[in-house]
Amino acid sequence: MDKTERLDKVDLQILRILQENARLTTKELATQVNLSSTPVFERLKRLEQGGYIKKYIAVLDADKLNYGFVVFCNVRMSHINRKVASDFSEVVREIPQVTECYNISGSNDYLLKIHAPDMRYYKELILNVLGEIEYISSIESLFVMDEIKHDYGIPL
């Protein structure tokens, strides 16, 4: 699908349903959108090939896996240019505890979401990993006290 091609109501319905449960079989999905399996299968392939569906994943419970200590880090660079941004992006992609990273506007350059087992672990991550990145001038940590809302889907 190119950007000029529009998604119809059925495509959007398929995407909404998959956001809730990506484990449905094509037959089960077809039943929910009132089509037979073949056209739903073709639509799924088209949506995947068009990049509307990036991947299918399992959402894990961070607390049960001892990674429920969540921190948002505002990162400010000492200077920013194309090379620094590229280097930082490469480094951050290799840090498994950083689950999300955004280049943002405002007084900071990046916002990181970090999962850790506890404060001690997080401190070591700051000192031994992020603190070793030479062009970071400051890190501001915001500790999550309670998660109020965490939706994984896109409102369609």
Side-chain angles (χ1 to χ4, degrees), residues 104-153:
I104 58 174
S105 64
S107 59
N108 295 295
D109 299 300
Y110 293 93
L111 176 66
L112 310 179
K113 182 179 182 182
I114 296 175
H115 282 264
D118 54 35
M119 178 67 84
R120 182 172 287 121
Y121 185 97
Y122 174 70
K123 176 185 170 189
E124 292 302 315
L125 180 73
I126 293 299
L127 294 175
N128 298 319
V129 180
L130 291 177
E132 293 296 317
I133 301 171
E134 65 183 75
Y135 34 80
I136 291 180
S137 69
S138 70
I139 297 171
E140 176 188 21
S141 301
L142 305 165
F143 303 103
V144 174
M145 295 187 307
D146 191 18
E147 183 176 279
I148 309 303
K149 181 179 180 182
H150 187 153
D151 284 343
Y152 294 96

Side-chain angles (χ1 to χ4, degrees), residues 11-28:
D11 290 331
L12 293 173
Q13 187 179 11
I14 288 169
L15 293 175
R16 269 193 298 276
I17 292 167
L18 287 176
Q19 285 186 131
E20 292 299 317
N21 183 0
R23 292 191 66 179
L24 293 174
T25 65
T26 303
K27 184 177 179 181
E28 291 168 330

Side-chain angles (χ1 to χ4, degrees), residues 10 12 22 26 38 41 44 54 57 63 67 79 83 92 97 108 112-114 137-138 140 154 156:
V10 176
L12 293 173
T26 303
T38 302
F41 178 79
L44 276 174
K54 289 184 170 187
I57 63 166
D63 286 326
Y67 273 84
H79 64 283
K83 180 170 178 8
V92 165
Q97 297 84 354
N108 295 295
L112 310 179
K113 182 179 182 182
I114 296 175
S137 69
S138 70
E140 176 188 21
I154 306 292
L156 299 174

Side-chain angles (χ1 to χ4, degrees), residues 3-136:
K3 290 190 180 203
T4 59
E5 187 173 350
R6 295 225 175 240
L7 300 179
D8 65 17
K9 283 191 217 177
V10 176
D11 290 331
L12 293 173
Q13 187 179 11
I14 288 169
L15 293 175
R16 269 193 298 276
I17 292 167
L18 287 176
Q19 285 186 131
E20 292 299 317
N21 183 0
R23 292 191 66 179
L24 293 174
T25 65
T26 303
K27 184 177 179 181
E28 291 168 330
L29 187 56
T31 300
Q32 289 194 33
V33 297
N34 297 316
L35 290 174
S36 65
S37 294
T38 302
V40 169
F41 178 79
E42 291 169 0
R43 283 174 182 265
L44 276 174
K45 288 298 163 206
R46 187 170 40 86
L47 290 166
E48 290 168 357
Q49 291 169 353
Y52 291 94
I53 299 171
K54 289 184 170 187
K55 65 181 175 178
Y56 299 93
I57 63 166
V59 177
L60 307 179
D61 187 315
D63 286 326
K64 288 187 185 228
L65 295 166
N66 197 30
Y67 273 84
F69 185 74
V70 180
V71 183
F72 286 92
C73 286
N74 285 311
V75 175
R76 184 175 300 148
M77 308 305 248
S78 58
H79 64 283
I80 192 83
N81 59 37
R82 199 171 296 281
K83 180 170 178 8
V84 167
S86 176
D87 289 350
F88 182 74
S89 296
E90 279 183 44
V91 169
V92 165
R93 284 187 188 105
E94 297 300 317
I95 304 171
Q97 297 84 354
V98 176
T99 58
E100 297 177 46
C101 176
Y102 302 95
N103 179 214
I104 58 174
S105 64
S107 59
N108 295 295
D109 299 300
Y110 293 93
L111 176 66
L112 310 179
K113 182 179 182 182
I114 296 175
H115 282 264
D118 54 35
M119 178 67 84
R120 182 172 287 121
Y121 185 97
Y122 174 70
K123 176 185 170 189
E124 292 302 315
L125 180 73
I126 293 299
L127 294 175
N128 298 319
V129 180
L130 291 177
E132 293 296 317
I133 301 171
E134 65 183 75
Y135 34 80
I136 291 180

